[in-house]
Amino acid sequence: MSDVSPARALGIDFGTSNSTVGWHRPGVESLIALEDGKITLPSVVFFNIEERRPVYGRLALHEYLEGYEGRLMRSLKSLLGSKLIKHDTSVLGSALPFKDLLGMFIGELKKRAEHCAGREFDQVVLGRPVFFVDEDPAADQEAEDESGISREELVLIVDIGGGTSDFTLIRLSPERHQVAERQSDILATGGVHIGGTDFDKQLSLQGVMPLFGYGSRMKSGALMPTSYHLNLATWHTINALYAQKSQLALNSMRYDIEDTLGIDRLFKLIEERAGHWLAMEVEASKIELTEQPSRRLDLGRVERELSVELTRALFEEAIDGLLERVRASVTELLGKAGVHASQVDTVFFTGGSSGIPALRNSVSAMLPNARHVEGNIFGSIGSGLAIEARKRYGAA
């Protein structure tokens, strides 16, 4: 294998929110620019009815928000952990199997990488979560980069993506860096089906949905059914709210609600087809709350002068239950490895949702002696998969 030749294969990190492609070339950044010079391609497909074509990434979001008629689909990777993967969906008037939809998106990643590289690729190493579904263990070898290791260390890799949180406890050392078979260095793997979309959902439910009737009382004293707000707060179920059956049920329910202000706003939001817009605003608020104590969300699109102040304190309270499950998964991982928390030398954070302060603090507090290292939150896994692809398939 030549040390100066580019790799024969690609590494693809198909993410719930964003995807990356790595191509290992000595002395060159491995992550390939996939859209507008950016290394990430949002995992989004928009089927444009007017032009009868699929659109991907940021352009897909742009066309949808510009008002083009069509079907927007996001968080595609979440399908892999659901029963929907065995079913079809209606796209441009035809039935499309969900697994074919995933194939279309991954094919687009390959196409863009080949265009950038100026060559075709026949081999690829794909990343995957440790657990696609909770309580169904299936460990894969994680990609790792030991360029910053000067001695043997026990490292906990914390990868918080859009749909899953994955953990790997691994023993690293400079001497082991070039060894081809590294399975014995992985002491334990674990994970939980919690990621950025779940954090968005809880922020939406606790901070925004009450304005749209979430928690409203019926005249009987019971609470309004929550399924409508859960659908609205979950990317891949927003379209269910626009269905005629759903709207008829809401309209019938309206007469049994004590205060109709919230449900009337919900009808307005449905009329404006603003569910995905609202979801993106909530996601933007989550991101801003990693740096700022608060963010005012303007909801004037639904009702004039309507807004809500979202705070980091509210967000952290909303996701506390999710963080407890993350901590439990880390505790289980350490127990499986027979390692005490004080023995961990380094915790390596990566993944788009790893920047949430409450999450970092929550995990870090469990590992009193560990130094904290931050990887490229969107690119570490893609870069590691590119290295693994070169190891497995060699150089051109």
Side-chain angles (χ1 to χ4, degrees), residues 33 38 57 65 89 96 110 124 144 159 292 311 317 339 374:
K38 298 180 174 61
L65 292 175
T89 186
L96 177 69
K110 177 176 180 289
V124 65
E144 73 279 340
D159 179 13
Q292 303 297 330
T311 67
E317 181 179 351
V339 170
E374 179 179 337

Side-chain angles (χ1 to χ4, degrees), residues 213 216-217 257-263:
S216 294
R217 289 281 177 185
I257 292 180
E258 287 184 347
D259 184 351
T260 61
L261 179 60
I263 196 170

